[in-house]
Amino acid sequence: MVQNPHNPQHPQPSDGAGSTQMFRAFVDEQPARDRASGRSGMRAGVVLGVVLGVLVLAAVGWLALS
């Protein structure tokens, strides 16, 4: 019988607690990463872009209907 290295005979059980701990560490790390990377400035830019886009669309619509 040929052994398949991708399909072990006795698979090891996964460590659910380990992945939960890694997820919690990732979630706890997010606010610090957001402050360090300056995402609030990026968010303000996105909001400003959306507002300007709506204003441009309103102006184009007004010109098309008049």
Side-chain angles (χ1 to χ4, degrees):
M1 183 182 286
V2 177
Q3 292 289 333
N4 185 353
H6 300 291
N7 188 12
Q9 295 293 329
H10 304 287
Q12 298 294 324
S14 64
D15 182 17
S19 59
T20 302
Q21 290 171 350
M22 290 182 349
F23 175 73
R24 285 185 180 165
F26 172 75
V27 170
D28 291 341
E29 183 180 298
Q30 287 300 317
R33 188 181 304 166
D34 288 345
R35 283 183 301 225
S37 67
R39 288 206 174 180
S40 61
M42 187 172 69
R43 241 180 246 152
V46 169
V47 169
L48 182 63
V50 168
V51 169
L52 287 175
V54 168
L55 288 175
V56 168
L57 288 175
V60 169
W62 180 71
L63 287 173
L65 293 176
S66 61

